[in-house]
Amino acid sequence: MKTDILLGLQWGDEGKGKVVDVLAGQYDIVARFQGGPNAGHTLEIQGKKHVLHTIPSGIFREKVMNVIGNGVVIDPISFLEEVRGIEALGINICKNLILSKRAHLILPTHRLLDASSEAQKGKEKIGSTLKGISPAYMDKTGRNGLRIGDILEKDFSTKYATLAGKHLQMLSLAGYEFDKTVFTENEKKWMDCVAFIRTMQCIDTEYYLNDAIKAGKRILAEGAQGSLLDIDFGSYPFVTSSSTTCAGACIGLGIAPSTIGEVEGVFKAYCTRVGSGPFPTELLDDIGEKICQIGREFGSTTGRKRRCGWLDLPALKRAIMLNGVTKLDMMKIDVLNEFDEVKVCTHYIVDGKQTEQLPYNLSTEIKPVYKSFKGWGKLPESMEYAKMPAELKTYIKFVEDAVGVPITLLSVGPERSQTLIR
Ligand code: GDP
Ligand code: IMO
Ligand code: MG
């Protein structure tokens, strides 16, 4: 069987967690391929909300095996908190969760380095989630990192001390002040959590996944963040530190491009962004505020207010191109119910010229040009497409025609059940 990929096409928080949970019942395995505890994937099942950071969103489906791939960075403290939260719901997580030995670890000092880097940048800060993501990936590509597999080796403590010692020196050189007592307590807690991870299934997941593909198992690869936060193709430097696009699934799981099936791209009926960086269609007015309030646009990981704006078609088309998206999921349609007018950016004006391409230099002024649509008002309770308001169908058809990919899933609320599959 081919592996399907599900990923975000905007600046993250598109609703990936919800869709993975909805679809997971059709798969044998859900595998996260990149990112770490910077992600916050929200699932609402029978009125109860769950936020996942490192654990794949298939965890609430009893028959689904969940894999944390080699492309993910794991913070043992945050990971164990998540495990405990899920165990408290009566789920035997150790049975249904596998970790790649090649996944890198986020050390307590990585978090400090993240904070130190952001402090040094001042006004130019990335707006990182301060989870230590960038320093952990820097150690990975710098060939200094510690991996899950290392915790199973005898010399782990020495390796840890060497890397943490190097980080402490870097922090001292940067003049970054932090509470040493709190740090020592954190280090101890971190080691205790590492000891717990040793008891879990830590394996060479690339063999597990490729064997599963050969055996005809159905796999869904779950992305974190979104294409506009991709390390290569996002709004650099205001991006995360991993490959959030389709190719990242091959790298982050150890599966070949020829094994990829559908690429399902998730996007909101509008746009949001949390953290710094350019956002061409951002609404800094009452409309943006209204979207934020109705959509409860506050970060699942940091609680920060998300910036809101209209749907940006040039950016969406680019993300579809980069990922080879074969089907689309339009999320949070209900949030726009109360709007008499809904707008979509069809192209930009850059340097006085009309274009559909995002300029390389994102500090250039990008003026969005909008097409206006009549709002659709209240949505019916029924999850039948035929019963959806004509205005919504017009909006959907316009987007589909513009991007050339069908919208096969519509989401009209946070609950698992508030989903329409066409
Ligand atoms: P992810 O990071 O892509 O998984 O998305 P997040 O969980 O960070 O953010 C999406 C938010 O929107 C969560 O609070 C979801 O519960 C919520 N959500 C998802 N789909 C819908 C929808 O169709 N309508 C509404 N109102 N909320 C939704
Ligand atoms: P999910 O998977 C939205 C943003 C941060 C910041 C930038 C870099 O829930 O969609 P980092 O901590 O990665 O160094 O931060 O990326 N960011 C996200 N924004 N959703 C996410 O994940 C994000 N993960 C990181 O706000 O601007
Ligand atoms: Mg999120």
Side-chain angles (χ1 to χ4, degrees):
M1 275 303 258
K2 298 268 187 191
T3 295
D4 295 334
I5 302 179
L6 186 136
L7 39 73
L9 298 178
Q10 295 164 321
W11 279 287
D13 302 330
E14 297 89 349
K16 299 174 291 294
K18 169 181 166 168
V19 182
V20 172
D21 171 62
V22 167
L23 301 179
Q26 305 166 24
Y27 290 91
D28 299 301
I29 298 170
V30 174
R32 246 294 280 281
F33 60 86
Q34 44 68 234
N38 49 349
H41 295 180
T42 316
L43 285 62
E44 279 194 38
I45 307 165
Q46 291 172 346
K48 199 160 176 354
K49 185 168 154 176
H50 312 275
V51 183
L52 299 170
H53 301 286
T54 309
I55 294 172
S57 305
I59 202 68
F60 294 101
R61 301 275 182 183
E62 211 188 321
K63 292 191 183 131
V64 173
M65 190 54 106
N66 291 272
V67 175
I68 300 180
N70 55 280
V72 176
V73 285
I74 301 174
D75 179 340
I77 297 183
S78 146
F79 175 72
L80 187 56
E81 271 170 21
E82 220 177 313
V83 168
R84 295 291 184 230
I86 294 170
E87 275 178 343
L89 302 168
I91 294 171
N92 183 354
I93 191 165
C94 291
K95 189 170 103 298
N96 285 350
L97 185 64
I98 298 176
L99 288 82
S100 166
K101 279 187 181 172
R102 286 177 167 69
H104 278 248
L105 289 165
I106 301 178
L107 274 58
T109 39
H110 281 139
R111 279 178 168 240
L112 295 174
L113 286 167
D114 202 355
S116 160
S117 164
E118 287 286 79
Q120 270 176 10
K121 285 192 159 99
K123 271 194 187 155
E124 303 297 313
K125 72 173 183 183
I126 306 298
S128 130
T129 57
L130 301 177
K131 303 290 177 192
I133 302 296
S134 151
Y137 278 113
M138 274 163 76
D139 271 338
K140 174 178 177 172
T141 51
R143 297 158 298 180
N144 296 312
L146 290 180
R147 301 184 290 175
I148 289 287
D150 293 321
I151 69 175
L152 309 170
E153 305 281 334
K154 281 201 194 84
D155 60 351
F156 177 67
S157 310
T158 317
K159 278 187 176 165
Y160 171 85
T162 306
L163 186 56
K166 188 180 149 203
H167 292 159
L168 291 170
Q169 258 180 358
M170 286 160 71
L171 289 161
S172 158
L173 277 175
Y176 186 73
E177 306 270 345
F178 58 92
D179 188 324
K180 304 278 185 307
T181 319
V182 172
F183 172 69
T184 311
E185 280 166 13
N186 249 340
E187 245 186 345
K188 188 179 170 309
K189 193 170 167 192
W190 191 89
M191 282 296 178
D192 291 345
C193 298
V194 162
F196 170 80
I197 295 177
R198 277 193 197 102
T199 67
M200 299 196 73
Q201 305 181 64
C202 304
I203 63 165
D204 294 311
T205 48
E206 65 277 21
Y207 284 114
Y208 177 84
L209 291 170
N210 281 286
D211 286 349
I213 292 171
K214 276 195 206 132
K217 295 258 159 71
R218 294 154 305 171
I219 304 175
L220 180 63
E222 174 179 2
Q225 289 83 51
S227 299
L228 297 169
L229 289 172
D230 181 79
I231 184 71
D232 283 275
F233 299 106
S235 45
Y236 194 88
F238 301 100
V239 294
T240 190
S241 301
S242 62
S243 295
T244 62
T245 41
C246 175
C250 295
I251 300 165
L253 296 176
I255 54 174
S258 57
T259 63
I260 303 305
E262 301 283 347
V263 180
E264 185 154 346
V266 188
F267 71 105
K268 283 177 185 164
Y270 49 95
C271 266
T272 63
R273 168 162 212 173
V274 60
S276 326
F279 181 176
T281 62
E282 182 170 16
L283 290 163
L284 296 163
D285 55 10
D286 291 351
I287 299 177
E289 185 57 30
K290 190 171 164 187
I291 297 178
C292 177
Q293 295 306 328
I294 299 177
R296 289 187 281 153
E297 294 295 357
F298 296 89
S300 316
T301 297
T302 58
R304 288 178 296 173
K305 194 169 173 176
R306 296 178 185 144
R307 299 152 64 192
C308 298
W310 295 121
L311 182 62
D312 182 338
L313 280 186
L316 186 64
K317 281 186 196 175
R318 183 170 173 275
I320 290 170
M321 169 188 84
L322 294 169
N323 291 297
V325 170
T326 58
K327 49 182 174 173
L328 288 165
D329 305 337
M330 189 192 267
M331 310 298 290
K332 302 195 90 160
I333 294 171
D334 55 300
V335 174
L336 300 181
N337 287 2
E338 284 180 32
F339 289 77
D340 296 331
E341 182 189 36
V342 173
K343 289 189 187 177
V344 173
C345 165
T346 52
H347 50 274
Y348 310 131
I349 304 285
V350 179
D351 291 334
K353 291 193 198 91
Q354 184 171 315
T355 177
E356 278 198 49
Q357 294 196 358
L358 267 180
Y360 167 78
N361 184 350
L362 288 163
S363 52
T364 325
E365 198 197 338
I366 304 170
K367 194 173 165 303
V369 180
Y370 293 105
K371 181 171 166 59
S372 173
F373 290 83
K374 194 168 176 295
W376 43 82
K378 209 170 168 298
L379 296 175
E381 291 283 311
S382 151
M383 289 295 133
E384 273 173 73
Y385 189 70
K387 294 199 175 136
M388 288 293 155
E391 294 84 357
L392 175 60
K393 287 181 184 163
T394 304
Y395 184 72
I396 289 172
K397 173 124 183 21
F398 179 81
V399 175
E400 281 183 323
D401 289 347
V403 302
V405 179
I407 298 174
T408 54
L409 184 148
L410 312 184
S411 178
V412 295
E415 268 280 337
R416 210 184 234 185
S417 57
Q418 291 171 307
T419 315
L420 188 158
I421 298 179
R422 283 168 88 190

